Amino acid sequence: MEWFNSVIKAIEAAFITGDRWKLYLEGLGVTLEVAFFASIIGIIIGTIVAFMKLSVRKDGKPTLAAHIANIYMDIIRGTPVVLQIMLMWFVFMAGCKNGVLVASITFGINSGAYVAEIVRAGILAVDKGQTEAGRSLGLTQFQTMRYIVIPQAFKNVLPPLCNEFIVLIKETAIVGYVGLSDLTRVANQMTSKVYDAFTPLIGAAIVYFVIVKILTKLLGRLERRLRKSDNR
Amino acid sequence: MIIVKDLHKKFNDNHVLAGVNYHIHPGEKIVVVGPSGSGKSTFLRCLNLLEKPTSGEIWFDGQLITDPKTDINKVRQHMGMVFQHFNLFNNLTIMENITLAPTKLKLMGEEEAKENALKLLGRVGLAEKADAYPASLSGGQKQRIAIVRSLAMNPRVMLFDEPTSALDPEMVGEVLEVMKELADSGMTMVVVTHEMGFAKEVGTKVVFMDGGNIVEENTPQEFFANPQSPRLQEFLSKVL
C-alpha cells in the first residue's frame, strides 16, 4: 500500500502538479513539428538527389550531378546527426534563432540522403522492359518516366518513405542539444525538478512508443491497400 | 525500307554483331532464326536503336537513323516492337496501354484513339478486356494486346523479339494467329523466333544468324529443303 502511494505521488509530481503535463504536450508538439517538416524537406531533397544520382551521360558515364549527389550522400551518412545539428546551430545557421527551423532543415538534409536511396531503389525496381516498351513506341525519356516508371516506383517507395518518417520522430530526440524543448528534453529537465528520473523518462518513452505504434499500424494498413491493386 | 550496312555491336569485349549487312523491302516478312547468342535479338533491337550500335549504318525509309542528329523518338513512332515479356504497362488499363502513346504524342485525340483501340482490340477478340489491368490477363492475351498497342501507332514496320518464347505452349497458337493475320494485311515484319512452322508458313525470307553475322538467307522452301552451309544443316537437324 505504501509502495502504491509513493508511485501515485511520483506520477502526480512528474505530470500533474502545476499542469506539468502541458509541458510534455508542448514538447511532443515540437518533436512532431520537427519530424513533419524534416520529412517534407527530406522527400524533396531525396527525390532530386535520387534523379541526380540516376543521371547518365550519353557515353554511359555518371554525370557531374551524379558525382555531387554521391558526395552529399557520403558526407551525410558518414557523420553523426548530433554533430550535424550542432554544426548547423553554432556555425552554418548561427544567426538564426528559430530552433525548430534549424532542426527541421538539419534533419531534412540528413533524411534526404536516406530518402534518395529509397527513391533510387524504387525507380530501379521497375522492370527495364517497361522503359523499353515506352521508348519503342516513340515516347521520350521524360514521358516514359512521367507516365510509366514513376507511377510504378511510387508504389514501391511509399511504405519505406513512411517508415523514414517514423524513424525521424525518434531521431529528433537529440534536438535538446541546440536548446529545443522537445519531448525528451522536457522529460530530462523534469527529472531534476522532481528528484525522480524514473517517472518522467518512462512517461516520455511511453509517449514515443504509442505514437510510433499507431503510425506503424497505419503504415501496415496502407501497405496492404497498395498491394490490393496488384491482385489478379 | 530498312538498309543495314556493316553493323557492329560490342558489349565490352563481346563482339555480338560482326558487320551485318541486310536489306529489308516493303511488305517482306523476314524471319530471323539461329542459336541463342547468335546476335539475332541484338540485331533486331538495333533496328530501332533500343540497342545502340557500336558502328555501322541503319537507314529507314531513306533516313540515316544511326546519325546522332536524327530524332530517334520520331523514327520509333513508325516502328512497332513486340517483346518476349510483353512489357505491358502494369499501372495502366488495357485501354490506357493502347492509347497512351498516340495521345501523348499528339497523333490522335482522346476519342479517336479510344475508337481506334476498340477496333483493334475487336480484331484480336479482346474488346471486353479494355478496362482490365494487365495483371489479370493470360500471357497469350497480354501478347495480343502488346501487338495491338504497337499497331495503334500505325507503324510502317513491326519488329517481333521472340514473341512466343515466354508463353505457355497452348497460348502460342493464338499469338501466331494474330501475327499471321497481320502478315496477310501486308505489314512489313521482322520476326526473331524459334517457331520454324511460322517461318515456313508466313516468312517471305528466312535468315539464319550465327556468331554475330548472317550466315544464310533464302526463301522458306529453299531454306528448309536445301540448307547450304554446314552450320545451318546442323542447326536444322537439331530443331526440326
Side-chain angles (χ1 to χ4, degrees), chain B residues 31-34 196 199-200 205-209 215-228 232 235-236 240:
Chain B
V31 180
V32 184
V33 300
M196 296 301 153
K200 264 186 212 168
K205 269 189 195 138
V206 185
V207 170
F208 176 65
M209 282 187 77
V215 177
E216 197 164 334
E217 176 232 24
N218 221 326
T219 60
Q221 295 79 4
E222 282 298 302
F223 185 89
F224 290 105
N226 272 322
Q228 303 296 312
L232 176 57
F235 177 75
L236 289 178
L240 290 181

Side-chain angles (χ1 to χ4, degrees), chain A residues 10-60:
Chain A
I11 290 176
E12 212 182 324
F15 301 113
I16 297 169
T17 314
D19 278 347
R20 283 179 182 155
W21 56 273
K22 278 189 182 160
L23 292 174
Y24 294 91
L25 212 58
E26 276 164 29
L28 179 62
V30 171
T31 296
L32 292 179
E33 214 178 328
V34 172
F36 178 73
F37 288 118
S39 46
I40 288 178
I41 297 171
I43 286 168
I44 294 168
I45 294 181
T47 308
I48 294 169
V49 171
F51 280 102
M52 283 167 70
K53 205 174 161 176
L54 284 170
S55 58
V56 248
R57 285 199 329 216
K58 274 230 167 93
D59 58 7

Side-chain angles (χ1 to χ4, degrees), chain B residues 21-240:
Chain B
N21 291 289
Y22 202 67
H23 195 150
I24 299 163
H25 302 274
E28 280 189 321
K29 292 88 178 81
I30 312 292
V31 180
V32 184
V33 300
S36 50
S38 58
K40 54 193 194 304
S41 268
T42 308
F43 169 65
L44 191 76
R45 290 162 58 84
C46 278
L47 295 182
N48 67 353
L49 297 201
L50 271 190
E51 219 66 79
K52 223 172 162 260
T54 310
S55 67
E57 287 181 1
I58 299 168
W59 295 78
F60 176 59
D61 279 347
Q63 190 180 11
L64 179 63
I65 65 171
T66 42
D67 184 341
K69 283 191 287 265
T70 305
D71 180 2
I72 188 62
N73 296 320
K74 268 261 146 52
V75 176
R76 283 178 181 148
Q77 293 180 12
H78 306 294
M79 304 172 109
M81 186 162 205
V82 174
F83 300 85
Q84 183 177 358
H85 295 288
F86 333 126
N87 298 349
L88 293 182
F89 306 134
N90 299 320
N91 56 321
L92 303 177
T93 63
I94 300 312
M95 179 55 84
E96 290 164 342
N97 260 277
I98 301 167
T99 56
L100 180 75
T103 53
K104 294 303 173 196
L105 296 170
K106 310 221 183 317
L107 305 176
M108 286 181 203
E110 193 95 12
E111 283 308 309
E112 188 191 357
K114 271 190 186 163
E115 227 169 84
N116 187 38
L118 277 177
K119 209 165 63 198
L120 289 167
L121 278 175
R123 247 170 76 183
V124 299
L126 289 170
E128 82 280 9
K129 296 288 185 192
D131 296 319
Y133 280 89
S136 66
L137 303 182
S138 74
Q141 291 172 328
K142 283 184 199 173
Q143 196 60 301
R144 282 186 280 161
I145 285 171
I147 294 172
V148 165
R149 179 176 65 179
S150 293
L151 289 178
M153 295 290 291
N154 294 319
R156 294 202 283 263
V157 55
M158 285 283 284
L159 313 174
F160 292 83
D161 188 5
E162 302 199 26
T164 58
S165 298
L167 294 174
D168 289 341
E170 74 263 33
M171 293 173 181
V172 171
E174 62 189 62
V175 172
L176 291 182
E177 200 51 49
V178 170
M179 290 169 64
K180 260 177 228 164
E181 274 171 36
L182 188 59
D184 291 340
S185 75
M187 177 66 74
T188 310
M189 293 162 68
V190 186
V191 185
V192 171
T193 187
H194 297 291
E195 295 290 330
M196 296 301 153
F198 180 84
K200 264 186 212 168
E201 203 180 323
V202 180
T204 54
K205 269 189 195 138
V206 185
V207 170
F208 176 65
M209 282 187 77
D210 190 32
N213 219 326
I214 293 173
V215 177
E216 197 164 334
E217 176 232 24
N218 221 326
T219 60
Q221 295 79 4
E222 282 298 302
F223 185 89
F224 290 105
N226 272 322
Q228 303 296 312
S229 66
R231 189 64 195 89
L232 176 57
Q233 287 162 4
E234 188 196 334
F235 177 75
L236 289 178
S237 73
K238 277 180 191 155
V239 296
L240 290 181

Side-chain angles (χ1 to χ4, degrees), chain B residues 5-24:
Chain B
K5 284 185 191 161
D6 195 29
L7 185 68
H8 287 264
K9 175 69 188 178
K10 284 180 197 165
F11 292 108
N12 298 322
D13 291 337
N14 193 2
H15 213 145
V16 183
L17 293 180
V20 178
N21 291 289
Y22 202 67
H23 195 150
I24 299 163

Side-chain angles (χ1 to χ4, degrees), chain A residues 147-206:
Chain A
Y147 297 110
I148 298 157
V149 178
I150 291 177
Q152 293 183 48
F154 187 71
K155 230 193 227 175
N156 300 336
V157 157
L158 206 52
L161 267 191
C162 293
N163 198 45
E164 174 69 15
F165 176 63
I166 294 173
V167 169
L168 262 178
I169 290 178
K170 290 173 291 166
E171 276 193 341
T172 56
I174 57 160
V175 293
Y177 272 93
V178 296
L180 270 189
S181 291
D182 73 317
L183 181 58
T184 301
R185 185 145 191 258
V186 168
N188 190 23
Q189 285 175 328
M190 198 59 73
T191 60
S192 50
K193 220 181 270 177
V194 298
Y195 306 113
D196 170 22
F198 181 80
T199 322
L201 294 182
I202 285 288
I206 290 171

